Amino acid sequence: MSEPVLLYDTTLRDGTQREGLTVSLTDKLKIARRLDDFGMPFIEGGWPGSNPKDSEFFAAAKGMTWRNARIAAFGFTRNRASRVEDDANIRALIEAETPIITLVGKSWLMHVTGVLGATADENLAMIGDSVAYCLAAGREVFYDLEHYFDGYRDDPAYAIACARAARDAGATALVLCDTNGGMLTDDLVGIIRATRSAVEGDPGAPPVTWGIHVHNDAELAVANSIAAVAAGCRQVQGTINGYGERCGNANLISILANLELKTDYPVVPSGKVGELTDLSNYVAEIVNLNPDDHQPYVGRSAFAHKGGIHGAATAKVEMSYQHIDPKLVGNETRLVVSELGGKANTRLRAEQLGHRLEGVVDPKELSQLVKRLESEGASFEGAEASFELLIRRYETGYSPPFDVLDFTVIIEQREGQELRAEATVKVEVEGEVLHTAADGNGPVNALDAAMRKALGAFYPQLDAVHLVDYKVRIVDSAAATAARTRVVIESAMGADTWSTVGSDTNIIMASMKALTDSLEYALWKGGAELRRRDERHFTTPAAK
Ligand SMILES: [Zn+2]
């Protein structure tokens, strides 16, 4: 049995380099807590010398109990011109009081001379001093060899000398970094093997753990990480969902799934792949990025089947078109409702949503209805809530929680002022009619506000619902008489999100349909009961 492969998470440091990703201190602590629960053995919390937020993270982390993880602080080797004990960055690393310090330094001579303005020997001394100082302060030291592979190609002897300098000073892990992310797998493996045999071949060499840290610029980060494991690396650095600068870091979600489900290497965290989908979504939620539907293993579409043949085959033998059982990673097979899919697809999708079609609706009839609506511009692929309502409306005993009787929208812009929109809606709920108006910064925003104001008088729960995303697309209808507009609205209540669709030749009408579905869905799914709450709303009896 080989030594276990330990994952090292740097979502909180390298992951936050991604353009458009920002996290608060609270966010960082939440993610770290979740990674610890997940069993992550190493969590790199940040770069204490670089910004106050990271220093605050370590101050907070000190007082917390970590069940599985050892926290690492990250920083550069000492400055060329300063003594290690006077170096501000090194001091910040020590003050972070983490069990591990991960030092990073140059191993590409061009960077040493061109970027640091140091000589080859000065850089080796900077590595040795910094590792030894952190070690003397009682920390375990991992050493990240920045640009190792590019450096090796430029000057193998110097790159290896850097690795030796860190090892000789006491680093327990030597982490080879493909910082620019451009290495092809065979080249990367060749360099790892050559480096290992040189460094391990030194007489009396102390044992070290080899690590790998790669970026995804050639879209090989996961493949290169797995290949590095096969070449002897036992620490794999990466981020959740592959977040990171440019094209991202190696994605630990896929790495863990691949290692655990498809290889014999023991890996830590172990036995946790069933939580990967949840973990991926949780981190996306905290960093406020939409989960990638097409992310391998954990994306919403990772096991979605659309085509008629795939769909029908999957309905018969679930594994016929998927590489693993999606339940292993906490995901699910999804039959996409689409005009390409036949009635087997439609029936299966309905059943997955908990609806028995037998005796309620003929699957063929439903499939034809879906096809007709899609030919008119709707698409239920990205709008499962509208699809579910479609079935629900067939079921006996269902009465909609409200009816929209009328609505108007006025948009005006006067004398160069800002655009202003006002909407009025008239809704009927259990025999009472309420007429309300609301303003908004655009017609859909105003309609949304007016609808929720009206319905909120009957169903206060709707206050918690909000619009997350609004997408408009022009689609060619089959009739080709007029362009139709498809609107997809994504709504959220707490952690729940759902999507609804509306289509029409008129964008406002399409929006209103999607909006109405969204609110009806929220009320039905939430089991909302009528709770009139506000005496100040005046309603009139419905006209008979
Ligand atoms: Zn990196």
Side-chain angles (χ1 to χ4, degrees):
M1 194 81 153
S2 69
E3 285 285 303
V5 178
L6 271 58
L7 301 190
Y8 178 110
D9 182 277
T10 179
T11 307
L12 301 177
R13 201 270 306 168
D14 229 3
T16 62
Q17 297 298 311
R18 175 184 162 122
E19 198 175 354
L21 188 156
T22 47
V23 280
S24 66
L25 173 63
T26 317
D27 295 336
K28 291 189 76 160
L29 290 166
K30 276 186 188 163
I31 292 172
R33 174 55 69 217
R34 180 65 182 254
L35 290 171
D36 181 49
D37 290 345
F38 186 76
M40 194 62 72
F42 304 115
I43 300 173
E44 190 173 86
W47 189 332
S50 72
N51 67 73
K53 196 197 316 171
D54 284 9
S55 304
E56 285 165 25
F57 172 88
F58 290 110
K62 243 182 264 183
M64 292 164 65
T65 308
W66 302 97
R67 290 192 303 129
N68 299 298
R70 296 172 73 210
I71 306 293
F74 174 90
F76 241 95
T77 49
R78 72 162 167 83
N79 187 281
R80 182 183 67 86
S82 57
R83 296 192 311 162
V84 66
E85 57 271 35
D86 301 329
D87 188 276
N89 271 313
I90 298 281
R91 193 173 317 129
L93 282 170
I94 304 285
E95 283 165 5
E97 289 185 33
T98 53
I100 295 166
I101 289 177
T102 299
L103 284 169
V104 61
K106 302 292 185 194
S107 37
W108 187 356
L109 199 51
M110 178 193 87
H111 270 261
V112 174
T113 53
V115 179
L116 294 183
T119 66
D121 284 341
E122 275 177 325
N123 181 55
L124 294 177
M126 286 153 62
I127 297 171
D129 286 357
S130 306
V131 171
Y133 188 79
C134 294
L135 194 75
R139 309 306 147 83
E140 179 165 7
V141 182
F142 295 165
Y143 188 70
D144 278 9
L145 292 118
E146 194 193 46
H147 294 296
Y148 184 78
F149 296 93
D150 295 307
Y152 184 97
R153 289 215 278 207
D154 184 41
D155 186 339
Y158 189 72
I160 290 173
C162 293
R164 286 191 172 115
R167 178 204 58 193
D168 292 346
T172 54
L174 298 178
V175 183
L176 308 179
C177 303
D178 182 17
T179 308
N180 292 355
M183 292 297 294
L184 296 183
T185 308
D186 286 349
D187 300 339
L188 174 122
V189 166
I191 293 173
I192 294 171
R193 291 194 195 285
T195 302
R196 281 191 61 195
S197 78
V199 174
E200 290 171 4
D202 293 339
V208 288
T209 297
W210 294 95
I212 185 76
H213 174 121
V214 294
H215 282 255
N216 199 34
D217 301 70
E219 215 176 14
L220 288 170
V222 170
N224 284 355
S225 301
I226 305 283
V229 168
C233 291
R234 287 295 174 269
Q235 180 186 117
V236 178
Q237 299 195 350
T239 62
I240 300 302
N241 300 330
Y243 297 145
E245 207 166 5
R246 305 186 309 275
C247 316
N249 282 58
N251 181 359
L252 287 182
I253 298 279
S254 298
I255 290 171
L256 181 57
N258 284 325
L259 286 176
E260 180 138 333
L261 299 175
K262 301 186 174 184
T263 76
D264 292 330
Y265 297 107
V267 55
V268 185
S270 77
K272 298 297 259 186
V273 285
E275 295 173 25
L276 277 176
T277 301
D278 275 354
L279 176 68
S280 166
N281 289 335
Y282 179 81
V283 174
E285 173 73 20
I286 299 293
V287 303
N288 201 24
L289 289 173
N290 285 327
D292 174 3
D293 283 351
H294 304 281
Q295 185 172 327
Y297 286 104
V298 296
R300 223 175 132 263
S301 303
F303 302 96
H305 305 280
K306 174 173 172 176
I309 296 170
H310 287 203
T314 308
K316 285 190 195 123
V317 182
E318 209 179 312
M319 288 301 286
S320 53
Y321 281 92
Q322 49 200 27
H323 68 123
I324 58 154
D325 177 354
K327 287 195 269 317
L328 291 173
V329 290
N331 206 341
E332 59 177 6
T333 301
R334 207 162 53 83
L335 273 299
V336 176
V337 180
S338 139
E339 55 190 316
L340 293 181
K343 66 181 195 305
N345 243 14
T346 307
R347 188 206 332 256
L348 228 106
R349 189 69 200 108
E351 283 171 1
Q352 280 187 340
L353 293 168
H355 299 274
R356 312 251 9 134
L357 297 183
E358 284 76 14
V360 181
V361 48
D362 175 13
K364 195 166 176 186
E365 190 186 322
L366 184 63
S367 167
Q368 277 162 357
L369 175 63
V370 168
K371 282 184 188 185
R372 181 172 64 74
L373 292 171
E374 294 206 320
S375 77
E376 291 170 8
S379 167
F380 294 98
E381 268 169 46
E384 312 250 312
S386 283
F387 177 68
E388 217 179 333
L389 276 174
L390 198 71
I391 305 169
R392 184 72 179 116
R393 286 172 187 143
Y394 267 104
E395 290 170 356
T396 44
Y398 182 75
S399 65
F402 61 88
D403 287 305
V404 180
L405 303 181
D406 305 318
F407 71 91
T408 61
V409 188
I410 299 165
I411 305 168
E412 63 171 10
Q413 182 182 37
R414 287 177 196 248
E415 295 166 359
Q417 301 272 312
E418 265 186 45
L419 186 81
R420 187 180 155 274
E422 183 187 292
T424 66
V425 297
K426 201 191 276 185
V427 296
E428 182 181 338
V429 178
E430 296 210 348
E432 280 179 83
V433 172
L434 179 60
H435 199 167
T436 52
D439 292 330
N441 56 20
V444 177
N445 181 246
L447 267 176
D448 177 46
M451 283 287 284
R452 285 190 305 118
K453 193 167 161 189
L455 294 172
F458 299 96
Y459 302 107
Q461 315 75 319
L462 287 180
D463 290 357
V465 176
H466 60 276
L467 227 106
V468 184
D469 201 5
Y470 172 85
K471 290 194 202 89
V472 182
R473 192 172 304 171
I474 305 300
V475 286
D476 293 325
S477 68
T481 44
R484 296 185 70 95
T485 307
R486 177 193 301 156
V487 168
V488 175
I489 285 179
E490 194 182 336
S491 311
M493 182 160 53
D496 291 335
T497 61
W498 62 94
S499 299
T500 51
V501 63
S503 86
D504 199 90
T505 49
N506 182 292
I507 186 172
I508 300 294
M509 193 61 213
S511 305
M512 191 60 176
K513 285 177 181 171
L515 197 56
T516 305
D517 268 14
S518 167
L519 296 171
E520 185 173 338
Y521 184 83
L523 289 171
W524 165 52
K525 272 291 177 185
E529 284 174 18
L530 199 58
R531 265 186 15 230
R532 290 182 185 79
R533 64 158 168 201
D534 194 335
E535 300 304 323
R536 289 166 302 166
H537 283 291
F538 295 99
T539 61
T540 52
K544 285 284 170 279

